[in-house]
Amino acid sequence: MVARRSLRPPQTALVLGGGSDIAAACVAALAGHGLRTAVLAARDPDAARARMAAATDRVDLVPIRWDVLDTGALDDLWSTTTQAVGTPDVVLCAVGSLGHHAGLGMSPTDVEAMARTNYAAPAAALAYVAERLAADPGDGRAMVVLSSVAGVRPRRSNFVYGSSKAGLDSFARGLGDALHGSGVRMLVVRPGFVRSRMTTGLDPAPFATDPEVVAGAVARAVAGGRDGVLSVPPLLGPLFAVLANLPRGLWRRIAGDR
Ligand SMILES: NC(=O)c1ccc[n+]([C@@H]2O[C@H](COP(=O)([O-])OP(=O)(O)OC[C@H]3O[C@@H](n4cnc5c(N)ncnc54)[C@H](OP(=O)(O)O)[C@@H]3O)[C@@H](O)[C@H]2O)c1
């Protein structure tokens, strides 16, 4: 991860997937660094507002009904966002779908839905937003994409989810390179297992953590003007660099059915 010059603290945010538990914790953590207003783009804006309000009362919330699969709605999303906060200082993409099974046995329809929800549609939204941030970079803006260590190496139990996160991760890193010099920086966040609504009912993986821990790392990185890849907890970065290169048989044994 690369440190940049210090920047004006972010005051406004657009959250894609505004109902996410990790996003709620990120907004609360960013409030401690000066965030004042967050636009929450969510399938269920009332639920998103309630979840976010439970996490922090220090940020004005602007909930908008939005579905990532509706790429035709991006103009409306942007227009409502800029009317509310101008060009946002931070755009956080927290859209994701895991379910309790993301591997063999999924129907073609479900595979396509997962690939679209976790990769194709967020990628379209990020490309759209990036152009507009780059056209108005202000004192420096940040895009934050919640990727996952699941994208570093596919596992038999969740390769559909993992591969779609790998696609989004690669897309975001490439987009970050394309934005280099524009005043817009890209932070790609790779959490391990996080105890959130997404993982309710699942056995925690080793190094499981909480949304607040991910959020603290994200807020410090954003406020510190950092970009690049951020693994949470940090140990997962070097660990997965090793795991990604293990022989397949050994990896299958280590990953097991999880
Ligand atoms: N929890 C983990 O272990 C973990 C680990 C690594 C990475 N991540 C990533 O972190 C991000 C946030 O996850 P989380 O743990 O906070 O889980 P979460 O609370 O379930 O958040 C995921 C959000 O994505 C939204 N979403 C799903 N499909 C959508 C659609 N078609 N249009 C708009 N929004 C949609 C959900 O909306 P609704 O509120 O309407 O359901 C939900 O608010 C995700 O990208 C996830 O892949 C999570």
Side-chain angles (χ1 to χ4, degrees), residues 21 35 74 90 104 109 119 141 150 155-156 162 173-174 219 223 234 255:
D21 283 345
L35 190 75
L74 286 166
V90 180
L104 210 58
T109 307
Y119 174 41
R141 306 199 192 275
R155 303 197 305 266
R156 66 179 164 207
R173 283 182 289 119

Side-chain angles (χ1 to χ4, degrees), residues 135-235:
D136 180 19
D139 292 334
R141 306 199 192 275
M143 300 180 73
V144 181
V145 176
L146 292 178
S147 173
S148 172
V149 294
V152 177
R153 184 156 193 180
R155 303 197 305 266
R156 66 179 164 207
S157 65
N158 81 344
F159 61 87
V160 181
Y161 173 79
S163 65
S164 58
K165 287 308 241 187
L168 186 67
D169 189 292
S170 176
F171 179 92
R173 283 182 289 119
L175 178 58
D177 287 340
L179 289 168
H180 185 71
S182 71
V184 182
R185 58 198 193 280
M186 171 69 74
L187 185 68
V188 179
V189 185
R190 291 181 186 161
F193 186 104
V194 183
R195 288 176 281 261
S196 72
R197 203 159 42 102
M198 177 175 277
T199 55
T200 303
L202 298 177
D203 285 340
F207 307 107
T209 189
D210 293 309
E212 292 71 23
V213 174
V214 179
V218 167
R220 283 191 297 277
V222 169
R226 291 171 181 273
D227 64 6
V229 174
L230 176 69
S231 297
V232 188
L235 173 68

Side-chain angles (χ1 to χ4, degrees), residues 2-257:
V2 177
R4 292 276 181 86
R5 65 189 166 84
S6 67
L7 302 160
R8 183 174 65 84
Q11 298 185 352
T12 56
L14 165 62
V15 183
L16 304 173
S20 141
D21 283 345
I22 297 177
C26 286
V27 167
L30 283 166
H33 293 270
L35 190 75
R36 291 184 186 159
T37 311
V39 177
L40 309 179
R43 290 189 293 196
D44 183 342
D46 292 337
R49 180 207 281 271
R51 209 166 283 127
M52 198 68 74
T56 179
D57 60 2
R58 297 168 66 187
V59 177
D60 291 331
L61 303 175
V62 183
I64 300 176
R65 188 173 304 281
W66 176 75
D67 190 315
V68 74
L69 299 176
D70 184 3
T71 43
L74 286 166
D75 282 339
D76 284 347
L77 171 70
W78 193 251
S79 152
T80 311
T81 299
T82 52
Q83 278 168 31
V85 299
T87 303
D89 295 326
V90 180
V91 176
L92 167 65
C93 180
V95 172
S97 166
L98 172 63
H100 279 199
H101 179 72
L104 210 58
M106 286 178 75
S107 71
T109 307
D110 288 345
V111 170
E112 183 182 11
M114 187 166 279
R116 287 189 68 215
T117 302
N118 287 313
Y119 174 41
L126 290 167
Y128 180 100
V129 165
E131 302 271 0
R132 281 147 187 86
L133 295 187
D136 180 19
D139 292 334
R141 306 199 192 275
M143 300 180 73
V144 181
V145 176
L146 292 178
S147 173
S148 172
V149 294
V152 177
R153 184 156 193 180
R155 303 197 305 266
R156 66 179 164 207
S157 65
N158 81 344
F159 61 87
V160 181
Y161 173 79
S163 65
S164 58
K165 287 308 241 187
L168 186 67
D169 189 292
S170 176
F171 179 92
R173 283 182 289 119
L175 178 58
D177 287 340
L179 289 168
H180 185 71
S182 71
V184 182
R185 58 198 193 280
M186 171 69 74
L187 185 68
V188 179
V189 185
R190 291 181 186 161
F193 186 104
V194 183
R195 288 176 281 261
S196 72
R197 203 159 42 102
M198 177 175 277
T199 55
T200 303
L202 298 177
D203 285 340
F207 307 107
T209 189
D210 293 309
E212 292 71 23
V213 174
V214 179
V218 167
R220 283 191 297 277
V222 169
R226 291 171 181 273
D227 64 6
V229 174
L230 176 69
S231 297
V232 188
L235 173 68
L236 292 182
L239 178 61
F240 269 82
V242 173
L243 294 176
N245 290 294
L246 288 181
R248 291 176 69 203
L250 183 54
W251 170 243
R252 276 197 294 269
R253 279 208 297 281
I254 289 173
D257 290 328

